[in-house]
């Protein structure tokens, strides 16, 4: 079996990882890679370890030569390409935020713009460990982002099992490497700004990814308190670590809830008691790891880690691709 | 005015900063610097920017030539030297944990060893912004450490003003540069281990500095919930950032509580609303900065930053020295 | 004595250091700071540790209120401001490349543009340790850059003393922290690009600073072989280390040549035999350090280090300012 | 085909990479991994991404269960194990320096100790791109180290083709990530020492690896001048970049010499004119890359890069393993 694929937005950090993975995937053949700013160049000019693939502008991509496309595009630019591809019978793995929210009004609330393709919604949310039923055979999958994946893996088992103290805030202190901010030059992402620094940003209830996290937690139909989400920028290139503080009703039931949730999962590990999750567990792998630390009778600390470019983006997209095409889920990972 | 001083433990990170500050202090004269492992060498061999001072073993330090000593020694080794100095009429600024806890039983509980000099206790706790009354003229001051300073500056105004919701946990997610772990070689502090990594350690209720933080918060005589303290190791050399999550009773009163607490303080800033504290605000300065972010009606996020080697160690020791000798508090800073 | 000064281009890395130094200089009063992109803001918005100074556009700077200006502007923009200031009787310390080359034709050869103010040339070259005679009382000084200072300090004593083997190449392998590339956002200076990387650029005979280095070496009237200059980008924020490989005629005379050249210099150290210069010797100081290692009978290795933003830019500018106004050379450093 | 292998010294940086590679090698089965300090633990305790293999002391390793061993041991400890393995009919890939030098007297000269197993010498030197003839079927291979590989790949084509100007020094300015210094705790390898620093060490003619570099260059029977080798410590974890300055007799012949030398080599690339080699080309890959820059009529700059733990250690050992057992050379890489 071999699926012909195209990758939109191949020169960003996520795009580069996705090319690397798909280039080595036994059942995928890369037919095109796009870039607006570097069209006409080779992908190797963007990244010396990349395969020597010619970059084309999105408008020139030969959609008729592929069966599936991956979209690593900014939000608002991604959904229109998804619509175009689907209209031509090409399946879509969208790594942008455009298709993650079921309700276009919620999209507008958080992204301050009308949804570019509301007719496509809703779309299956591609976090396989929390719900892979809708993914096999799907024509389009919204692949979630790095913060959402890290936080949902750390909190969904608690919500689903009704373990949270009603009304108590659910606090997530998250730290991310800088590649999450993308490859477009910005002064605050310069090496000389980040080196030796550490900064919170959009803390509290301000970060856009709250919307998709809450949407997915709400599916459990179980109450949870106000979700507080405080991201910080780490002086490293990749990796996310989320430290979650949760007031729980039955500390004794916590470990089983997580172990049941992820039993048999090849890409999510619940670490043994006493071992704390660190970026070193997961960086440059497609895996997530979770540690559980009871801090008091009712205060649980969950640490959740993953590589923001892999389980938080590119490898999760490949995982969704494998499920979509009904291949073994970890093929090529 | 000129005080003759000696510095014990001059070759560690804190000791080096202290030498630098005292070497430039207009009213201090360094008479000796000690090191057990490098006795006989020049301090310049430990640090190329240091002044060319001869290192002596502690046992050979000429206590009779000084009026004040600074102790940058490991706990259990520090208190006996303090006792010896005080017995000879030499005043003491102790940067170790030995003299910070009033009750030797609490010391034993957290440090798992008998207190080496219980007769010295209690000693004034040298966090001037939270209580400088006992410091002028003191014969000995226990200078607090980096985590304690960062956390106390961020929480004491809330406790003192009775602003915390009773029973709600007080959560501190802290991140520190690696110099806080000292200069003794350890595998987990090697560059190749820390670079690209980020790790929690001793999270929950396990870190020793909880003892002094709670002792100082308790002085306010106001209730607060379980203190949760989760330190993490940052891939940078210096700086501490503590993100505090507090449930408060009157969000409207929060800013005034902090602004009143630190009004006129030259070394602690409360940032204007909308500006978040970062390591870049304070690294390589003797200052702390605090930002206040209401995340919901009753959930407050306080971010507190300082340089762990300066306001968290050496410059705070000099601040205490200035107060002890009744000089202007920021002399030499 | 107090000189009223203005700083053009205050929001770049060099400008920020210069503000910091002049703000603490006992004989300078900052009257204005300029920025085109941030005019109307406070300098604190560019840098949280900066003093709270209002930024004005260069065109709005009150030249009539100052006696001296510092220009931290891009080349071609700097010389016209210099001309304007001089025409109003305001002295100039220019940190750009505009006034460093005596011959406008050489400027055009290397910068590929007509010189913006050829009537101002030649201007005294402000590397005090290699020639401070022309600096006291000068109306304008061209303050040299980081690479030129590091290389000239390491090679001028060899050229002046005629110690180089005629015809043998003079090889400089240089490494610089990224702040030398400035604060304007560029993709190749993003943290995620530089972290974990190390890159040569413009190696051989391609870097523009060769022109001023050779101009200054030529003043000695002594032969030297082809100068090869290979800069590399270090994954750190600041500091330059230049490793110079020189074939010498009399190895025995080398150390004396350097020690004589820098005898009594407060800001340039020749390290004792056996000690190698490192960035750690000089980063965040106004000093340069040089080590001398004979590698064979006739092959000498000189290692020269300095902080690119200080001795390679801002503190050297202040040193030149002090000389210009006939104050002690290290005032405020 | 499946070869049973054992790995001595599995908990160092090279050992860990080797385990990772051999664990994924289709024709190798890891039968044991050794560690003196961590015997009895799982390898996962040394490295969270490692497979869960039990560590045994070297003395307890079941040599009778394997056909081949890899030795990642300190010099002097490695050769005795090699002798023991060979005596039992087990083949050996030695990654230490013990078996690289043909002449035990040269070993003693550079390592200041008697050779621990001189009867084993000489042994084929496992740098396949410069000589793979002796490797297929070899019972023991000395796998060269990181600096030697980087420097030999950059200089051997020049020496072999007689392109160097006789008598002119051959200058190598090398820069290495810190993992090359190993995982044993040392103060100068602590994060807080290396971060923000950059340091030369053992420059000139002092580094031990000169011995094996010169031995291999001498095999060409062509003259070359004094080899100068100046290593520097980079503030990054992995990667070596060597900048070579060579005076050449026929610049026109240089590119062909390199392209001929490495034609068809899957793991060594000669970059096109105008592209400079950087660590980013090779880090975390088994490949080396070389760029050629003519700096003047006769001065050539060669930049050679590789990952010190892979092509400079573990992947080169696997390459040698593949050749030894007559498998395709890049199997498992």
């Amino acid at each position: 079996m071999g699926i012909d694929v195209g990758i939109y937005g191949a020169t960003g950090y996520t795009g580069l990882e996705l090319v690397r993975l798909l280039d080595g995937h036994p059942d995928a053949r890369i037919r095109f890679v796009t870039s607006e700013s570097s069209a006409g160049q080779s992908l190797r000019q963007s990244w010396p370890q990349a395969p020597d693939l010619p970059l084309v502008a999105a408008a020139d991509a030969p959609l008729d030569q592929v069966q599936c496309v991956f979209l690593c595009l900014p939000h608002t630019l991604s959904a229109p390409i998804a619509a175009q591809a689907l209209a031509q019978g090409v399946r879509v793995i969208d790594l942008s935020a455009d298709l993650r929210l079921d309700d276009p009004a919620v999209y507008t609330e958080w992204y301050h713009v009308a949804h570019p393709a509301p007719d496509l919604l809703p779309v299956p949310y591609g976090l396989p460990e929390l719900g892979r039923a809708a993914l096999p055979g799907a024509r389009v999958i919204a692949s979630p982002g790095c913060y959402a994946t890290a936080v949902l893996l750390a909190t969904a088992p608690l919500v689903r099992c009704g373990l949270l103290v009603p009304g108590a805030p659910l606090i997530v202190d998250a730290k991310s490497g800088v590649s999450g901010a993308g490859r477009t030059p910005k002064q605050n992402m310069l090496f000389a700004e980040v080196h030796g620094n550490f900064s919170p940003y959009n803390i509290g209830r301000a970060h856009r990814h709250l919307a998709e996290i809450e949407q997915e937690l709400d599916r459990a139909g179980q109450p949870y308190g106000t979700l507080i989400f405080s991201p910080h920028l780490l002086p490293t290139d990749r990796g996310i670590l989320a430290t979650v503080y949760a007031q729980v009703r039955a500390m004794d039931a916590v470990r089983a809830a997580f172990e049941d949730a992820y039993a048999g999962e090849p890409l999510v590990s619940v670490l043994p008691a006493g071992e704390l999750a660190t970026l070193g567990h997961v960086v440059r792998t497609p895996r997530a790891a979770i540690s559980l630390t009871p801090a008091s009778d009712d205060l649980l600390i969950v640490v959740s880690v993953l590589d923001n470019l892999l389980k938080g983006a590119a490898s999760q997209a490949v995982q969704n691709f494998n499920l979509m095409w009904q291949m073994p889920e970890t093929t090529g990972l």
Side-chain angles (χ1 to χ4, degrees), chain A residues 86-132:
Chain A
L86 289 165
Q88 298 190 29
V90 175
R91 297 198 202 181
V92 173
I93 309 278
D94 184 18
L95 288 87
S96 86
D98 275 356
L99 304 181
R100 294 180 194 155
L101 298 172
D102 294 351
D103 181 347
V106 176
Y107 182 91
T108 298
E109 178 189 343
W110 286 92
Y111 292 90
H112 307 299
V113 64
H115 193 284
D119 293 349
L120 299 181
L121 303 179
V123 156
Y125 191 77
L127 210 172
E129 290 82 1
L130 296 180
R132 56 170 66 77

Side-chain angles (χ1 to χ4, degrees), chain A residues 99-103 122-126 130-131 142 152 156 159-160 211-224:
Chain A
L99 304 181
R100 294 180 194 155
L101 298 172
D102 294 351
D103 181 347
V123 156
Y125 191 77
L130 296 180
L152 286 168
V159 174
R160 289 180 177 184
E212 60 180 284
I213 295 170
E214 292 184 332
Q215 169 183 285
E216 297 305 308
L217 290 181
D218 288 346
R219 290 196 206 283
Q222 294 276 354
Y224 58 94

Side-chain angles (χ1 to χ4, degrees), chain A residues 141-161:
Chain A
I141 295 175
S143 209
C146 47
Y147 279 132
T149 301
V151 175
L152 286 168
L153 290 174
T155 56
L158 296 170
V159 174
R160 289 180 177 184
C161 295

Side-chain angles (χ1 to χ4, degrees), chain A residues 284-307:
Chain A
R284 298 178 198 280
T285 81
R287 289 188 289 278
I290 290 169
S291 65
L292 305 170
T293 304
S296 70
D297 286 351
D298 64 352
L299 198 290
L300 171 72
I301 306 177
V302 186
V303 181
S304 170
V305 290
L306 51 76
D307 186 310

Side-chain angles (χ1 to χ4, degrees), chain A residues 128-314:
Chain A
E129 290 82 1
L130 296 180
R132 56 170 66 77
L135 305 177
R139 293 181 59 240
V140 53
I141 295 175
S143 209
C146 47
Y147 279 132
T149 301
V151 175
L152 286 168
L153 290 174
T155 56
L158 296 170
V159 174
R160 289 180 177 184
C161 295
L163 286 171
L164 294 172
V165 171
L170 179 57
I171 293 170
V172 180
D173 191 280
K175 303 88 176 175
S176 173
V178 298
S179 58
R183 208 179 187 189
T184 303
K186 293 172 211 149
Q187 190 182 72
N188 63 337
M189 294 297 149
L190 290 175
F191 186 91
E193 304 289 316
V194 175
H195 182 76
N197 204 348
F198 179 68
S199 322
Y201 64 99
N202 287 352
I203 64 175
R205 295 276 311 158
H207 196 284
R208 287 166 168 177
H209 288 174
L210 275 169
E212 60 180 284
I213 295 170
E214 292 184 332
Q215 169 183 285
E216 297 305 308
L217 290 181
D218 288 346
R219 290 196 206 283
Q222 294 276 354
Y224 58 94
T226 304
L227 181 62
I228 302 295
F229 174 59
S230 296
H232 299 70
L233 187 72
L234 277 174
T236 191
D237 53 351
R238 51 204 291 170
I240 277 188
L241 185 148
T243 312
V244 179
Y245 300 89
Q247 287 175 255
V248 297
R249 298 194 304 164
M251 190 65 80
D252 289 352
V254 162
R255 179 161 287 274
F258 279 89
E259 291 183 347
D260 291 353
Y262 302 124
E265 288 294 346
L267 300 178
V268 176
S269 307
V270 180
L271 298 179
E275 180 174 353
L276 289 172
T278 72
L279 288 193
H281 281 79
V282 294
V283 166
R284 298 178 198 280
T285 81
R287 289 188 289 278
I290 290 169
S291 65
L292 305 170
T293 304
S296 70
D297 286 351
D298 64 352
L299 198 290
L300 171 72
I301 306 177
V302 186
V303 181
S304 170
V305 290
L306 51 76
D307 186 310
N308 60 307
L309 298 179
L310 295 174
K311 183 60 180 164

